[in-house]
Structure formats: C-alpha cells, structure tokens
Amino acid sequence: MPEVDPQETEKTIKAIQDIAIILTGAAEFVCEGRMLKRFSKNIEENLEKIENDIALLKKKFPGKFPKTLKPDTSISKIRDLAITLDGNNADIEAKCRSEELGNELILRVKELNSVIKDILDTLKGKISRYTIFDRIAGYGEKIKSFLLAFSPLVSNTGRIVLAALLVIICSFFYLFFTMESEDIVLKSIKNDLSYIEKQNEILAKQRKEYNEIREKMKSFNQAEMSREEKIEWLNLSLEERKSRVNMEQIMLAIETRKKKIGEKNKKVEEIRKKSFFKKLLKR
C-alpha cells in the first residue's frame, strides 16, 4: 500500500490556501473570468490529490473510520466554491472583488486542514501511553494485593478496615501525584519564554522579507503593466499577502503566550502562599 507523506499533503492544502490569499487581496485582473477559471481548475486538481491521500489514510484505521472525522464534508464545500469560480457570471466577479470568495475559501481550507490533522493525530494515537493514572492504578493493585494477603488472618471487621485503608492510601497517591507544583508551572513558563524568543526571531525575518516585497511592488505601474508584468505582480502580491498573514499569526501567537505567562506567574504566587495540605487538596 502506498504511503501518505503528511508534508506533501500539507503542501497540497497550502496550494489551495495560496489561491484563497490571492482572492482576499484581489486586484481587478485577478477577478477576471479567465483567471477565476484557472483558479477553479487548480483547486480541483489539488482536491483530487487530497482525496487520494485521505482514501489511503482511511485504509490504515484498524476498524471502522470514525464518524467524528468528516473530511468529505470539507472537501465538498471547497469543491462547491471551485465550481462557483468556474461559472461565467458578473456576480461572481463582484464577490471576488469584495473578497467574499477569498474569505470563504480560507475558512473552508482551515476546516479541511484541521480535519486532516485530526486524522493523522488519531492514527498516531493508536498506541496508548502510560499515564500517571496508569501508575496510580498500578500502585493501587500492589497495595491491594499486599493487604489482601493478610485478609485470611483477620476478622470481618478487620477486612472492612483494610478496605477503608486501601481507599485512603489510593486517594492519597492520587492527590499526591496530581498535587499543584510550583516547579511544573515554572518549567512551563520557561518553555513559553523560549518559544516567544524564537518567534520574535522569525517575526524579524518575516518583516524584512515583507518590506522587500513591498518595495518591489512599488516599482510597478499597475495602469500600464504588460501581461508578463501582471503575472510577476500577481506572484509578488501573493507573497506579500502570505508574508502579512504569517506576521499576523506570529504576533497573535506571541501575544497569546504572553497572556498565558501572566496567568502562570499569578498561579505560581498563589501556590507559594499555600500550605502543603492546601496544595494536596487543591484549595
């Protein structure tokens, strides 16, 4: 059975996303019927590749493909948009110029990307990991075996006491392993700060690239462009839009992490003020 390369699938989805980005910053000639038909054809070609990848991924599931994962719905919505782009209609060109088509296509691509990510994550999660709860359960079984070894030597009342003792010990282990820890939160903050530092470096490079593209675009006279210049300008426009979207996403990610760090710092202060038993009982 052929293997699915997740990176290639991502590139295929990104090709459709690039078209969506072009349509959201649509220049007049981008919304011409011949251009929209070309976009429609490109979208359909990429959808066929994605459908083939999904069919291969479905075969990898050990049982029935989960109903909660619905790639066909997302693909159908994108295909409907591709059909719309292929139509000869002045209303379609108007929707293109208003960026309505581009915005809707971006939304549908995000939905499809999310579904495929869920499929890949589900496949990766077929092997269950040994969690803290498994460890607690393991301790509980060992304690149970240890206590029950003495059960023939004690009375019925003693057995009740042993059972109660088992519950208390297991409860303590559960509370201890899930107890609030300052070190865990501080380690999480350190990871967040490292993430922000790397994102700031990426953002600086992205800003430089964006400014270089903008300078190139300014050298064009849109009113007097040749066919070759239009194609070059269109490519630059795509790169400019992609660069701007990337910067916005990076800045949003940085801002989100900063808010989380603020919340975690407050959490650390709260934990430091608590006694051991309050931490244990999460009060």
Side-chain angles (χ1 to χ4, degrees):
M1 184 187 297
E3 289 293 323
V4 175
D5 185 347
Q7 291 184 343
E8 287 300 316
T9 304
E10 185 179 348
K11 285 181 182 178
T12 306
I13 295 174
K14 195 171 182 299
I16 300 176
Q17 186 180 44
D18 288 346
I19 293 173
I21 291 172
I22 291 174
L23 293 175
T24 56
E28 187 66 29
F29 66 88
V30 172
C31 295
E32 293 176 1
R34 60 186 179 85
M35 291 294 293
L36 296 180
K37 286 180 180 295
R38 184 184 301 174
F39 291 146
S40 173
K41 183 180 178 182
N42 290 340
I43 291 172
E44 184 58 44
E45 288 172 353
N46 286 304
L47 282 179
E48 288 176 4
K49 293 178 185 177
I50 293 169
E51 284 179 320
N52 184 56
D53 287 349
I54 290 173
L56 292 174
L57 289 172
K58 283 182 176 180
K59 291 179 181 178
K60 289 191 172 186
F61 278 82
K64 193 174 180 181
F65 186 75
K67 291 183 179 180
T68 52
L69 302 174
K70 299 179 180 179
D72 297 338
T73 303
S74 299
I75 289 174
S76 177
K77 290 176 180 178
I78 294 175
R79 180 162 281 130
D80 287 344
L81 282 170
I83 292 170
T84 299
L85 292 174
D86 192 44
N88 286 318
N89 193 318
D91 290 340
I92 296 171
E93 294 185 13
K95 283 184 177 181
C96 174
R97 286 190 289 271
S98 69
E99 302 185 6
E100 182 180 336
L101 289 176
N103 288 330
E104 186 173 355
L105 185 55
I106 282 179
L107 177 62
R108 301 310 173 197
V109 171
K110 283 182 179 178
E111 288 177 355
L112 177 60
N113 198 33
S114 178
V115 170
I116 291 179
K117 185 178 182 299
D118 287 344
I119 292 173
L120 292 170
D121 288 346
T122 303
L123 282 170
K124 289 177 184 177
K126 285 189 293 184
I127 300 174
S128 60
R129 294 184 178 180
Y130 192 63
T131 66
I132 187 171
F133 299 103
D134 297 322
R135 282 156 53 187
I136 292 169
Y139 285 130
E141 285 300 317
K142 289 178 182 178
I143 294 167
K144 179 180 177 182
S145 299
F146 176 75
L147 292 176
L148 289 179
F150 293 96
S151 63
L153 307 176
V154 297
S155 63
N156 288 335
T157 303
R159 289 175 185 172
I160 293 173
V161 172
L162 283 173
L165 185 60
L166 174 63
V167 171
I168 292 170
I169 293 173
C170 287
S171 298
F172 176 81
F173 270 113
Y174 173 79
L175 291 172
F176 182 77
F177 279 116
T178 60
M179 183 175 66
E180 291 178 315
S181 171
E182 177 185 332
D183 292 339
I184 292 174
V185 182
L186 288 173
K187 185 178 180 181
S188 178
I189 291 173
K190 185 178 179 181
N191 291 335
D192 287 337
L193 289 171
S194 177
Y195 172 84
I196 289 173
E197 184 179 353
K198 289 178 181 177
Q199 290 302 307
N200 278 324
E201 291 174 1
I202 295 171
L203 182 60
K205 292 178 182 178
Q206 195 71 61
R207 278 204 181 103
K208 183 181 177 183
E209 180 183 317
Y210 176 78
N211 291 330
E212 289 173 354
I213 294 170
R214 291 290 298 170
E215 288 301 315
K216 288 180 182 179
M217 291 179 69
K218 287 178 183 178
S219 65
F220 287 85
N221 183 350
Q222 290 192 42
E224 300 177 358
M225 286 194 294
S226 64
R227 183 176 180 278
E228 290 75 17
E229 287 175 329
K230 284 183 178 181
I231 293 173
E232 187 178 352
W233 188 92
L234 180 61
N235 289 332
L236 286 171
S237 176
L238 171 60
E239 292 301 320
E240 184 266 344
R241 297 284 296 182
K242 286 165 63 177
S243 184
R244 180 150 55 85
V245 168
N246 286 338
M247 284 194 297
E248 289 172 354
Q249 290 176 341
I250 293 169
M251 287 188 287
L252 178 61
I254 291 172
E255 189 61 31
T256 301
R257 284 298 176 104
K258 285 181 177 178
K259 288 181 179 177
K260 286 183 178 179
I261 289 174
E263 293 170 359
K264 289 174 184 177
N265 279 325
K266 289 180 181 178
K267 186 70 174 176
V268 170
E269 291 302 318
E270 291 173 2
I271 292 173
R272 285 173 177 171
K273 293 175 182 177
K274 292 180 180 180
S275 65
F276 173 80
F277 287 105
K278 283 188 176 181
K279 291 177 186 177
L280 188 68
L281 300 173
K282 301 182 185 67
R283 290 188 177 179

